[in-house]
Amino acid sequence: MMESIKKLRELTGAGMMDVKKALADAGNDEDKAVALLRERGIVKAAKKADREAKEGLVKFVVDGNRAAIVEVNSETDFVARNSDFQALVEQLAQAALKAGTNDVEEFKNFTLESGDTVANTVAAAAGKIGENLVLNRVAYVEGDTVAGYVHSNGKIGVLVDLAGGDTQKAKDVALHVAAERPQYLTRDEVNQEDIEKEREILTNKALNEGKPQQIVDKIVSGQIGKFYEEKVLPEQKFVKDQSLTVSKYLDGAQIKRFVRFEIGA
């Protein structure tokens, strides 16, 4: 029986539970089981794997001070609004909370309550739905005050871990991250080679514009500061109150980590 299951899974790309059911329904006749899988649309998943999936949904789950977020891609926005697809994304988000991993390949091998792996479950759903589906990213956050935000269209999702702040502030920061696209949590995370290249470009630009050498360094330093203000989360203007930076809004609370997923990014 196990040999037949392995053979049919390799042949069709179908999940273990789908193959077992097909074999049982076919009286363990492999050819009939393959025919049943084709009739049920399960085999389609393997054939669709080379088609590009640029749409999809982001979903997060929070449980106390733990949270997980997944990005699952589909070929069309129509399927992203399909109830079966939405149920799949919800299932995977819940599973990600249990798996507790930031490695998508590791998560694909995680076994669900159904007894099948995440990867096989996604493949089976692709066969049923009729589009290539891709589990693109997963993240797990555990910390002090954890909160999340998903944009109304489900295309952008954020998790934030905040130390010394309440849940509302964590949620506000998550909304801000969704809207303002910060790239770094601290200045130290910025690649210094990139900064030096930016400094060189800005210096040459100022000199070419005829700026006096004695004030070029001051001009460039100001522009580099502006770069940090645009890219580093605590230094950004707070989306709900532009008179404050995110750091000032938090009033002593510290962002320990943020995760931002955006479909197509």
Side-chain angles (χ1 to χ4, degrees):
M1 180 69 170
M2 291 305 298
E3 190 64 29
S4 292
I5 291 173
K6 181 180 178 182
K7 179 180 176 181
L8 264 63
R9 288 184 65 189
E10 292 175 350
L11 181 64
T12 65
M16 182 173 68
M17 299 305 294
D18 291 309
V19 169
K20 286 178 69 175
K21 187 174 189 310
L23 279 169
D25 293 345
N28 292 325
D29 184 308
E30 292 180 2
D31 290 337
K32 288 182 180 179
V34 170
L36 283 173
L37 287 167
R38 287 175 176 164
E39 290 171 8
R40 294 167 183 174
I42 305 299
V43 181
K44 293 179 182 178
K47 296 178 181 178
K48 290 180 174 61
D50 60 347
R51 299 207 316 231
E52 207 164 3
K54 292 184 176 181
E55 297 293 338
L57 290 175
V58 176
K59 176 73 178 179
F60 76 87
V61 176
V62 175
D63 182 13
N65 67 336
R66 301 165 56 247
I69 188 169
V70 296
E71 176 190 338
V72 186
N73 299 134
S74 61
E75 293 178 49
T76 66
D77 187 54
F78 176 78
V79 161
R81 290 181 275 113
N82 174 285
S83 60
D84 288 337
F85 179 76
Q86 292 174 353
L88 170 70
V89 178
E90 172 70 29
Q91 179 187 19
L92 295 180
Q94 295 287 349
L97 191 65
K98 295 178 181 178
T101 181
N102 293 286
D103 186 328
V104 70
E105 295 304 320
E106 179 182 334
F107 183 49
K108 286 177 182 178
N109 292 317
F110 182 73
T111 302
L112 302 174
E113 292 182 1
S114 64
D116 215 345
T117 64
V118 166
N120 288 337
T121 300
V122 173
K128 179 181 179 182
I129 291 172
E131 280 196 9
N132 183 24
L133 305 180
V134 177
L135 172 60
N136 192 30
R137 290 183 283 184
V138 62
Y140 174 80
V141 174
E142 183 172 353
D144 295 341
T145 302
V146 178
Y149 171 82
V150 168
H151 194 268
S152 58
N153 63 6
K155 306 297 184 185
I156 301 172
V158 176
L159 291 181
V160 168
D161 177 22
L162 198 63
D166 58 27
T167 301
Q168 186 56 54
K169 284 194 172 182
K171 287 180 178 179
D172 284 343
V173 173
L175 184 151
H176 171 94
V177 171
E180 298 301 314
R181 296 180 174 85
Q183 295 181 22
Y184 309 101
L185 183 56
T186 68
R187 289 194 177 198
D188 291 340
E189 292 179 3
V190 182
N191 187 316
Q192 288 307 302
E193 289 184 7
D194 291 342
I195 291 296
E196 290 309 313
K197 286 179 183 177
E198 184 73 8
R199 188 182 300 277
E200 182 181 355
I201 291 169
L202 292 170
T203 298
N204 290 334
K205 181 175 182 292
L207 290 172
N208 290 336
E209 290 173 350
K211 300 290 194 302
Q213 179 69 56
Q214 60 267 30
I215 68 168
V216 165
D217 288 344
K218 184 176 181 180
I219 293 171
V220 171
S221 294
Q223 290 173 326
I224 292 295
K226 184 69 174 176
F227 172 87
Y228 284 126
E229 290 172 9
E230 292 175 352
K231 306 295 184 182
V232 179
L233 175 53
E235 300 186 37
Q236 290 183 320
K237 297 295 184 182
F238 182 46
V239 70
K240 284 189 170 183
D241 185 347
Q242 294 289 301
S243 69
L244 301 174
T245 62
V246 171
S247 178
K248 286 184 178 178
Y249 167 72
L250 289 176
D251 192 26
Q254 298 293 317
I255 306 162
K256 296 175 65 179
R257 183 185 176 194
F258 74 90
V259 177
R260 185 184 188 277
F261 288 171
E262 180 174 357
I263 299 296

